[in-house]
Amino acid sequence: MVHRPPAVMRDHRRATWIAIAIIAALELAWLGWFLHEPLPNAANVGGRNATRANILWRAFPGVVPGVRLRESYLGLALDELGHVENLPQRVPILLVAGLIGAAAVAAGGLILRGLRLRAKLDGWERLALAYGLGTTTLGCVTLIAGRWGLLHPISAWAGLVAVIAAGVAVRLREGFKAGPMARPRIGPALGMAAVVGPFLALMALAAMLPTIDFDAIEYHLQGPKEYYQAGRIRFLPHNVYTSMPFGIEMLHLLGMEVFDDWWRGALAGQLMIAAFAPASAILIYATASRLGSPRAGWVAAVAYLTAPWVYRLAVLPYVEGPLCFFHAALAWAVARSWDDREDGADARWGWLLGLLAGGAMAIKYPALLSAVAPFGLAALARSWRDRSPRFALRFAAGTAIVMAPWLIKNVVDTGNPVYPLGYGVFGGSHWDPAADAKWRAVHGPRPIVAAEFFRSIVDVAGRSDWQTPLFAALAPLAFLRRDRWRGAGWLAAYAAYLFLSWWLLTHRLDRFWLPMLPALAVLAGLGADWTRGRIWTAGLAALLSVAIVANLAYTSTALAGLNEWTGDLQTLRRTVPEMTNPGLAELDARLPPGAKPLLVGQAAVFHFNRPVVYNTVFDDETIETLAKGKTPEEVRRGLERLGVTHVYVDWSEIGRYRSPGNYGFTPFVTPELFAGLVRAGVLGPPSPVGGPKHELYEVRKGTP
């Protein structure tokens, strides 16, 4: 042991005190800014000039004068949780999601066994990885079965039960000796459960509510609904988004088949999406523990699960929640595998990394940038170090195995494996230079402006409505310990790469930077454990307490998503469409039995309960293909050929698309077009539906 002179010890303590004082001042300043910065998106739902501080103060009765328990956010949340008589409605959803989840874990477990990795992993790691790998597998199998027209409730049930039986049979043969679950210390585990339990409970309840999100209603759920109704997976030329990789959307389709009901099946799929949040946290904990300590792991997992963004991704059928899981799994796999020199390790880890990267890209094309490219470089670096190409080749093969079904599907449908992207390289039917230019104008990179760059940094750090203060507060502290520079360095470099690739190469939609969250959570865990001094520990506890309570208060409001957690599902099935799109809801209720409307300017149709003809704004406008250059009688015959009985025009939505900076809308659609069809006797006179900017025309029958 090295004995330092008293003067040196005093100088060291003084420097430590100064460092802690500076850090404390910075943390307080950051937390103050975070709490008082206006939330930019709150105005969209009526929360003008809303701040997290205002929400935090109103969360509890008596803090704001005149706010009693009933008016506080705590009281409102308790009221939303109080309709326990409706909870039995969720039981079938839980059972169906549990069946599909069990099949996913079984399938993923078989993959880990085939890679000879089960015995090398902790039980919690195995569970999380098996779930992610299994959902990828189920997605690919569902795609292949659907293309062959084999979608049916009986085949879905039989297939899932068979997979579970195979997994159980293998485990019985092994005697369940694949390694025990790690036993965490009781104190931290109970503390973790107490902190994240409310978040997880709200996630699960909110995931079983009908969605209010436009993108989900337009394609994340609508695509699976159309596949379910058709009994097969086929090309949908009217919905370009359904040609994207649909690895996660296949879970909704499986739920619909098992339920034999598209509406409840979608809720089961949403619950499975929510399950990716705790699965991600398990791997985030494991990564931070490996690079730092168990304490770093606990803080990292807490920081992730209590972030409002993670709640939002769990309760809406977005794909970014599962995408974050695969990025967390890839970071974990690199940290876990890099120093594994056991014989055959290159095969095991190379395949696993490739399957995980492919799983990410099977969710969303941008994962080519965020997952395949950076971890492909890591695989090349591993091959260079090992002086063998095998690791990189296995990574490439694993990625290709997962992505091949999705790419082949698009080649068969359009001739373009990444349709609608890459038109300049691959071309593709059902697309043309004008459509490609329109797509790239909206989804292409934005102008590079320094002020926008720094504004984006602030948004990602904390201004975003659903961000947590813990990432920016703790992540920089990860570099205060020299023995953790290596792990913190590559994680920070990866996070910086994700930010720059998002900012330079995408249209900067906020959801596209969310794959950063797992890396930031691990860095926050490492930063939280930069010292074990009592002063810092007390300060960390205070910071965590304020941040978590503020996040929970925000999460409990409608700003984070629909929060009628224990509401009656049948009532919500009616009221949610009325809330999200009153015109369409009134149209659905008003049309007579057997009616089939053509929608012009509107594509958010998942909640619609009858057959409908529609197209997204990026597809050929159906009314234009029927009417352009055609005689009135030809237009009538075209409508009859499609079985259309009514035409609904949403001028409000068309106006939104035509507003500056929006997607644009074909100039062919005008009031004069419909007035001419009325004069020609093709359509009856318009009647308002849901307001003056929503018109309904009845298709007149022609002369026999």
Side-chain angles (χ1 to χ4, degrees):
M1 179 181 294
V2 177
H3 295 280
R4 299 179 179 177
V8 174
M9 295 291 290
R10 285 195 298 271
D11 291 342
H12 182 267
R13 285 196 296 269
R14 186 180 300 114
T16 301
W17 275 93
I18 292 173
I20 291 176
I22 293 173
I23 291 172
L26 292 174
E27 298 289 1
L28 286 173
W30 163 250
L31 191 59
W33 177 87
F34 181 86
L35 292 174
H36 291 89
E37 178 69 9
L39 297 168
N41 287 293
N44 297 334
V45 290
R48 298 186 182 280
N49 299 317
T51 67
R52 296 177 180 89
N54 291 339
I55 294 172
L56 180 60
W57 308 146
R58 289 188 63 89
F60 304 101
V63 178
V64 175
V67 175
R68 298 171 297 176
L69 176 61
R70 178 172 295 182
E71 290 84 20
S72 69
Y73 288 131
L74 174 62
L76 294 173
L78 291 174
D79 182 61
E80 295 292 357
L81 289 168
H83 304 286
V84 294
E85 69 278 5
N86 296 321
L87 291 181
Q89 298 173 342
R90 277 74 172 169
V91 173
I93 299 169
L94 285 165
L95 293 176
V96 169
L99 174 70
I100 302 173
V105 171
L110 292 173
I111 293 172
L112 291 175
R113 179 181 180 276
L115 295 176
R116 293 181 292 125
L117 280 171
R118 286 185 60 88
K120 296 176 69 68
L121 306 178
D122 163 68
W124 292 106
E125 294 171 331
R126 290 198 310 272
L127 179 63
L129 282 172
Y131 184 74
L133 292 171
T135 55
T136 298
T137 303
L138 292 182
C140 290
V141 172
T142 303
L143 169 64
I144 295 169
R147 291 293 291 195
W148 284 95
L150 300 177
L151 291 178
H152 191 274
I154 294 177
S155 61
W157 273 95
L160 294 171
V161 171
V163 172
I164 295 171
V168 171
V170 169
R171 294 302 305 278
L172 286 173
R173 190 174 64 183
E174 293 176 347
F176 290 91
K177 296 178 180 179
M181 290 283 197
R183 294 183 178 179
R185 293 168 56 192
I186 296 299
L190 291 176
M192 174 81 168
V195 170
V196 305
F199 288 89
L200 292 174
L202 295 183
M203 284 180 196
L205 290 170
M208 291 185 283
L209 298 176
T211 186
I212 59 175
D213 178 70
F214 180 89
D215 286 359
I217 299 170
E218 184 185 39
Y219 62 94
H220 286 306
L221 297 182
Q222 176 61 21
K225 175 186 174 183
E226 292 188 51
Y227 298 149
Y228 162 75
Q229 292 175 328
R232 65 184 307 119
I233 294 176
R234 59 187 182 183
F235 178 60
L236 303 180
H238 53 277
N239 196 327
V240 66
Y241 296 104
T242 58
S243 291
M244 305 289 187
F246 252 34
I248 292 302
E249 286 82 356
M250 293 297 98
L251 300 178
H252 299 298
L253 179 55
L254 272 176
M256 294 174 187
E257 294 293 345
V258 173
F259 256 126
D260 199 12
D261 175 12
W262 57 266
W263 192 80
R264 289 190 299 166
L267 300 184
Q270 290 174 192
L271 185 58
M272 291 196 66
I273 288 177
F276 279 97
S280 302
I282 289 171
L283 297 180
I284 287 168
Y285 167 86
T287 305
S289 297
R290 176 167 290 275
L291 297 179
S293 68
R295 173 169 156 172
W298 290 118
V299 175
V302 166
Y304 184 79
L305 286 175
T306 60
W309 257 125
V310 175
Y311 172 85
R312 186 167 175 79
L313 296 180
V315 305
L316 294 175
Y318 292 148
V319 299
E320 281 77 13
L323 193 63
C324 283
F325 166 84
F326 282 96
H327 286 77
L330 284 162
W332 168 87
V334 169
R336 179 68 177 79
S337 68
W338 190 258
D339 295 322
D340 190 346
R341 301 299 185 95
E342 182 182 328
D343 183 46
D346 59 334
R348 288 191 288 266
W349 295 110
W351 281 111
L352 181 62
L353 274 173
L355 293 173
L356 291 171
M361 192 173 170
I363 292 174
K364 197 165 187 171
Y365 279 139
L368 177 65
L369 290 175
S370 62
V372 177
F375 289 98
L377 289 175
L380 286 172
R382 174 70 179 260
S383 284
W384 178 269
R385 190 197 69 177
D386 295 344
R387 302 181 184 277
S388 169
R390 290 179 298 179
F391 194 96
L393 290 175
R394 283 159 178 157
F395 173 89
T399 303
I401 287 173
V402 176
M403 278 306 299
W406 302 100
L407 301 179
I408 292 171
K409 165 185 172 289
N410 278 345
V411 170
V412 172
D413 289 340
T414 69
N416 178 351
V418 291
Y419 178 87
L421 308 183
Y423 179 78
V425 177
F426 301 106
S429 58
H430 305 281
W431 208 243
D432 55 38
D436 188 56
K438 181 178 180 179
W439 178 276
R440 288 188 290 106
V442 176
H443 296 91
R446 305 292 92 182
I448 298 176
V449 179
E452 289 296 324
F453 180 77
F454 291 108
R455 185 177 294 111
S456 295
I457 292 177
V458 175
D459 287 343
V460 172
R463 183 183 289 133
S464 170
D465 296 59
W466 305 284
Q467 187 59 292
T468 176
L470 295 176
F471 295 154
L474 298 175
L477 306 183
F479 293 92
L480 293 181
R481 286 187 57 159
R482 186 184 297 270
D483 60 335
R484 296 179 183 172
W485 280 3
R486 178 187 175 190
W490 71 261
L491 279 170
Y494 178 49
Y497 163 80
L498 291 176
F499 175 83
L500 290 173
S501 61
W502 164 75
W503 201 83
L504 294 172
L505 303 176
T506 77
H507 57 308
R508 299 178 195 158
L509 185 67
D510 53 5
R511 296 207 309 268
F512 280 56
W513 60 257
L514 294 181
M516 294 173 60
L517 295 182
L520 294 177
V522 175
L523 286 169
L526 297 177
D529 196 39
W530 74 276
T531 181
R532 293 294 180 92
R534 285 178 295 177
I535 297 176
W536 168 247
T537 299
L540 175 64
L543 173 64
L544 289 172
S545 298
V546 173
I548 291 168
V549 172
N551 289 344
L552 184 59
Y554 179 82
T555 296
S556 71
T557 70
L559 295 173
L562 186 64
N563 61 348
E564 297 182 38
W565 299 299
T566 58
D568 178 72
L569 290 182
Q570 293 308 311
T571 300
L572 289 169
R573 183 170 186 173
R574 183 190 72 253
T575 57
V576 165
E578 293 172 351
M579 175 178 61
T580 56
N581 198 316
L584 270 186
E586 183 178 334
L587 176 68
D588 196 14
R590 176 169 157 182
L591 288 176
K596 184 179 183 181
L598 163 64
L599 308 186
V600 181
Q602 183 57 253
V605 296
F606 172 73
H607 293 304
F608 217 70
N609 290 293
R610 62 180 72 242
V612 63
V613 178
Y614 76 100
N615 58 268
T616 76
V617 70
F618 290 104
D619 296 297
D620 293 334
E621 189 62 38
T622 304
I623 190 66
E624 183 173 8
T625 62
L626 292 173
K628 191 171 185 178
K630 307 289 179 61
T631 66
E633 188 56 33
E634 289 174 325
V635 175
R636 188 200 316 274
R637 287 200 298 268
L639 291 169
E640 290 177 348
R641 187 173 60 254
L642 293 175
V644 171
T645 61
H646 296 76
V647 177
Y648 171 81
V649 186
D650 189 336
W651 293 112
S652 176
E653 190 74 350
I654 292 171
R656 183 178 72 86
Y657 283 136
R658 287 173 172 168
S659 62
N662 212 297
Y663 294 164
F665 198 87
T666 175
F668 181 81
V669 175
T670 63
E672 291 73 24
L673 167 67
F674 295 97
L677 292 174
V678 171
R679 287 194 301 270
V682 176
L683 302 177
S687 59
V689 177
K693 292 187 176 182
H694 305 79
E695 295 178 338
L696 178 65
Y697 301 82
E698 185 175 0
V699 177
R700 294 278 179 85
K701 294 186 180 298
T703 303

